[in-house]
Amino acid sequence: MATITITVTVSNPGSGNKYYLDGALGAYAATPGNTYKFDQADGSNSGHPLRFATAADAAGSSEYTTGVTTSGTPGSAGAYTQIEVTATTTQALFFYCTNHSGMGDSFNVGGTGTVQLQTRSGFEIQNLTSDPVPYAQALADNPYAGVWGSGANMNVTSNTQGRGSAGSTHSASLAFGGGPSATGATESYNGTAWTELNDLNNARAYVTGMGTSTAALAVGGSPPATAGYTEVWNGSSWTETADLTRGPSSPQAAAYMMGSGSSTSGLVYGGDEGATNKSALTESWNGSAWTEVNDLNTSRSYGAGTGTSNTAALCLSGYNWTPGIAGSPLVEQWNGSSWTEIADVNGRGRAGASCQGSVTATIMFGGSPDNSTVLGNTESWDGSAWTEVNDLSTARTGLGGSGVSTNALAFGGLTPPVTAVTEEWTFSGLNPATTPAADYSDAIVGQMYYNSTSGQFKAIKNGGAPIGTWASSTSLNSARTGLAPAQAGTQTLSLAFGGETPGGNSALTESWNGSAWTETGDLNQVRQSLAGAGTYTSALAFGGLISSGTGETEEFNGSSWSEQNDLNTARYGLKGAGTQTAALAFAGTTGGSNRQTTTEKYDGTSWTEVNDLNTGRTDVGSLGPTQSTAMCAGGNTSPGANFTNAVENFDGTSWTEVTETNANKHGAAGSGTTTSGLIFGGNIPSVTAATEFWNGTTWTEVADLGTARSSLGGAGTSLAAIGFGGNTPTRTAVTEEFTAADFQIKSVTTS
């Protein structure tokens, strides 16, 4: 029997104190045959005795004491709680604090009994403590992923917001200054611990930093008296050098700046000239003096900056409006002489984020979109596009950062309150970022193994219908049916607009960031049963029902809608595919018994009729990543319950009938592509929760929606989808997310 020691610490992630086990928050899995020693010697455990029970926080149960021993006082040397796990230990246990609720989680005990593993004909059934990771598949899915891991907390705990930073890796980093009260504190991180060093000569908050842990630059900051100051770090002390060109005449312009580069070749840009005025000023550093160069295209402050010199930089996000309204998603690139706008960040615009890397490979993390909400979002830039990767464990804004896109450090910031938490980013090539089980270099399709933690025999499968589930998420702000999605949206970034509420037709637009819906600019025209295309920041709304069918078309720019040229055929109950500038509109009705086969293409300016559907219908389900690859599924072919299961695919020129769905229905939603997609919900004729998976050839029923409904919105892929709103038959705001692994683990029934 092995004794496994778990270090227990207590910290507040933003929703009250929690136990952290070996630095991790959440449930713990145990295996019969081991003893688990929960070491509570760390001072943060004071007043938080850890115990076990058969229900969370011991609710409705007595303390579980079988095989449990305790020693000492939590927070003092030698304090621990220990449990011996055997074949007879209760399998569903919880660890909890005897003094405070909500601190613990599940303590899961694996299966009992003896398992005999054999090798037959050279095929080994492996004994693993966790499921293997399919490296090759995960790498193909997302080559830019990594994982945030816990690092040592900073020594400075009260002034960790708006710290300057420098460093080339998460094991060689420098932090200096900070707020909200100005400090000169300087600390270095060696990958294990923070060490206090000589302070800045001038204490300041919201200072801009660049360089390495041994050769850094601290520029600007607050209060105004320090606004133009520049100090150089030589590895042991700070020396004042040439001031910024801005300064006394515009003292606040040097606070909340962004910056990048080295101690001898750097760049600072933007800043805050007051509560409502942002700066576009850019200054270049040559190792001895600052020179004003061409301004940013968009004035802003409190964003993120990255780059290696004064000739190559990125300025990302920040506030370009009054604080408290919204962060900007804008990204600009510096080429040594001028700034050019490039692809926006994916997530909501945000301020107070950090960014590390180069103009071709960087990660952006943390921040706030609205001066109140804090984010843990991390995005990876490959030189042409942004990809969402694994979030920070601790969401925060005003944090510091250093390193490169594959090896970075995030420290301090505001959660709120201010925090000294440090996290290390390590590139793994995996999403989700996990490590393979012992003895697995890659997952092998057909491989059988025994998971001793769960007590299950399992095998690895690939292909076929996804093994996934729908889970409830945050509801829309407004219950409605007949709304439209941005068809090219994702599970984490979607747009819902229009529809019918209990009070009538709606113009409401809501944006989804992966955790909440936020109301944004309304449509110019209230309507229901409309169609949509595009993304959450660049969408198209067309058609719909007002008092009769309309052809009205509107474009969304991320905050507001503008009217464009109408469809050639006014109609409602239609569907769309593609992007804002290359969209497809098909099916629908003009009213009465008329069912439309009409198909139109949008080129960013006007609509053009192309080849019709083979079957006229309304209220169809659809898949459609592009204008030239779309699917029309089901629908209503005439008044009454005349539903169809006919499916047609569009190849850019014409429609072709393909395999029918398993059920006749209308009012369904879809996600994915014409080769791998989901059709879910609808009316058959009562509302249904049925979900069907399309593999390009056949339909397979998979997990049902949690809430049966029709006329809902949907977006995403066949493995990560979102469904929202609809008719149950009452109007609903329910939002659900479907999640499945591309490469999947399946339990095996044995005898």
Side-chain angles (χ1 to χ4, degrees):
M1 178 178 290
T3 298
I4 298 170
T5 300
I6 301 115
T7 300
V8 183
T9 55
V10 175
S11 184
N12 188 334
S15 56
N17 284 331
K18 303 286 185 183
Y19 285 123
Y20 285 76
L21 308 184
D22 287 337
L25 183 66
Y28 192 90
T31 304
N34 294 325
T35 296
Y36 295 86
K37 182 179 181 180
F38 290 79
D39 185 344
Q40 288 200 278
D42 186 272
S44 63
N45 287 280
S46 179
H48 304 298
L50 184 150
R51 299 292 186 267
F52 297 92
T54 55
D57 298 315
S61 72
S62 59
E63 180 182 342
Y64 185 86
T65 58
T66 304
V68 178
T69 57
T70 61
S71 178
T73 302
S76 302
Y80 68 85
T81 295
Q82 182 173 285
I83 182 170
E84 181 181 353
V85 178
T86 70
T88 60
T89 300
T90 299
Q91 292 190 313
L93 291 177
F94 296 82
F95 59 96
Y96 74 104
C97 177
T98 60
N99 295 331
H100 309 93
S101 64
M103 289 186 59
D105 209 316
S106 299
F107 182 77
N108 302 313
V109 178
T112 62
T114 300
V115 175
Q116 184 178 15
L117 304 176
Q118 297 180 339
T119 299
R120 292 186 178 181
S121 301
F123 191 89
E124 182 183 2
I125 301 177
Q126 294 179 281
N127 187 9
L128 306 176
T129 58
S130 61
D131 292 339
V133 175
Y135 258 56
Q137 185 67 44
L139 182 60
D141 288 346
N142 193 338
Y144 307 110
V147 59
W148 290 102
S150 297
N153 283 1
M154 309 183 78
N155 295 299
V156 175
T157 59
S158 60
N159 289 59
T160 56
Q161 185 183 7
R163 303 208 77 182
S165 58
S168 55
T169 70
H170 63 49
S171 58
S173 296
L174 195 72
F176 39 92
S181 299
T183 181
T186 301
E187 299 182 58
S188 70
Y189 189 69
N190 64 2
T192 304
W194 288 95
T195 302
E196 295 187 44
L197 303 172
N198 288 318
D199 288 359
L200 289 161
N201 294 290
N202 300 280
R204 39 190 150 157
Y206 309 108
V207 60
T208 302
M210 63 194 72
T212 68
S213 60
T214 58
L217 214 62
V219 191
S222 178
T226 67
Y229 289 174
T230 302
E231 298 187 42
V232 178
W233 174 255
N234 65 4
S236 60
S237 62
W238 293 97
T239 303
E240 294 186 34
T241 185
D243 290 353
L244 290 164
T245 61
R246 68 185 97 184
S249 62
S250 179
Q252 293 187 51
Y256 300 96
M257 293 186 302
M258 293 71 74
S260 56
S262 70
S263 62
T264 58
S265 179
L267 205 69
V268 294
Y269 28 97
D272 207 337
E273 295 183 350
T276 61
N277 296 318
K278 311 305 173 192
S279 174
L281 285 172
T282 302
E283 298 189 45
S284 178
W285 173 252
N286 65 3
S288 59
W290 291 99
T291 304
E292 287 194 30
V293 290
N294 285 320
D295 290 354
L296 289 160
N297 294 290
T298 301
S299 300
R300 60 183 110 170
S301 68
Y302 210 23
T306 189
T308 56
S309 70
N310 60 8
T311 61
L314 293 179
C315 178
L316 306 99
S317 217
Y319 285 128
N320 60 355
W321 297 290
T322 304
I325 296 179
S328 168
L330 294 174
V331 179
E332 297 187 44
Q333 183 169 337
W334 174 256
N335 64 4
S337 59
S338 62
W339 292 97
T340 302
E341 292 189 17
I342 57 174
D344 292 356
V345 296
N346 284 318
R348 297 154 68 188
R350 41 186 155 151
S354 189
C355 191
Q356 299 302 321
S358 67
V359 296
T360 58
T362 197
I363 56 168
M364 181 181 181
F365 42 94
S368 172
D370 52 18
N371 211 28
S372 62
T373 307
V374 293
L375 301 175
N377 295 58
T378 301
E379 297 185 45
S380 174
W381 171 253
D382 65 359
S384 60
W386 291 95
T387 302
E388 294 208 19
V389 290
N390 289 298
D391 290 357
L392 288 162
S393 298
T394 301
R396 46 199 150 140
T397 187
L399 72 168
S402 60
V404 294
S405 63
T406 57
N407 187 306
L409 199 69
F411 48 87
L414 184 70
T415 56
V418 290
T419 181
V421 167
T422 299
E423 296 184 56
E424 300 176 358
W425 170 263
T426 303
F427 175 81
S428 68
L430 295 178
N431 190 13
T434 52
T435 56
D439 301 324
Y440 259 82
S441 60
D442 200 356
I444 304 169
V445 175
Q447 174 73 64
M448 183 183 288
Y449 64 96
Y450 178 70
N451 185 316
S452 60
T453 301
S454 65
Q456 294 175 298
F457 282 98
K458 297 186 175 183
I460 300 166
K461 70 177 284 286
N462 192 17
I467 301 172
T469 57
W470 289 96
S472 295
S473 194
T474 307
S475 295
L476 290 160
N477 293 289
S478 175
R480 46 191 161 141
T481 186
L483 73 171
Q487 193 67 37
T490 68
Q491 187 186 59
T492 57
L493 297 168
S494 294
L495 198 71
F497 42 94
E500 182 192 21
T501 70
N505 289 347
S506 174
L508 181 64
T509 301
E510 299 186 49
S511 178
W512 172 253
N513 69 352
S515 60
W517 291 97
T518 302
E519 295 185 23
T520 184
D522 288 353
L523 290 161
N524 293 290
Q525 178 63 63
V526 298
R527 43 186 154 155
Q528 62 164 301
S529 302
L530 70 165
T535 69
Y536 84 114
T537 58
S538 181
L540 198 70
F542 43 95
L545 177 65
I546 305 173
S547 57
S548 60
T550 181
E552 184 153 350
T553 300
E554 301 184 43
E555 291 184 359
F556 185 68
N557 65 4
S559 60
S560 62
W561 294 91
S562 60
E563 297 188 20
Q564 307 296 322
N565 288 317
D566 289 357
L567 289 161
N568 293 291
T569 301
R571 47 194 154 140
Y572 59 96
L574 73 168
K575 278 293 171 58
T579 68
Q580 186 189 71
T581 56
L584 195 72
F586 49 92
T589 180
T590 59
S593 62
N594 183 285
R595 298 293 185 265
Q596 287 286 303
T597 60
T598 302
T599 304
E600 301 183 45
K601 281 185 175 181
Y602 185 70
D603 62 5
T605 303
S606 60
W607 293 95
T608 303
E609 294 189 24
V610 293
N611 286 322
D612 290 349
L613 284 158
N614 293 288
T615 301
R617 44 188 136 164
T618 186
D619 296 326
V620 299
S622 69
L623 304 175
T626 71
Q627 188 183 60
S628 58
T629 53
M631 173 179 284
C632 177
N636 184 300
T637 57
S638 62
N642 294 308
F643 307 151
T644 183
N645 64 351
V647 180
E648 300 183 42
N649 275 357
F650 187 69
D651 63 5
T653 303
S654 60
W655 293 93
T656 303
E657 296 184 17
V658 295
T659 307
E660 299 169 338
T661 59
N662 292 292
N664 298 335
K665 58 182 173 181
H666 82 297
S671 63
T673 71
T674 56
T675 57
S676 181
L678 299 176
I679 294 292
F680 43 94
N683 196 309
I684 60 172
S686 58
V687 292
T688 181
T691 302
E692 296 188 43
F693 167 72
W694 171 249
N695 67 0
T697 305
T698 59
W699 294 94
T700 304
E701 294 189 23
V702 292
D704 288 354
L705 287 161
T707 300
R709 48 199 155 135
S710 65
S711 300
L712 68 164
T717 69
S718 62
L719 304 175
I722 186 170
F724 42 91
N727 194 354
T728 64
T730 58
R731 309 309 185 244
T732 184
V734 167
T735 299
E736 297 180 59
E737 296 182 57
F738 180 85
T739 303
D742 191 13
F743 201 118
Q744 298 163 82
I745 306 297
K746 187 174 183 177
S747 297
V748 178
T749 301
T750 60
S751 61

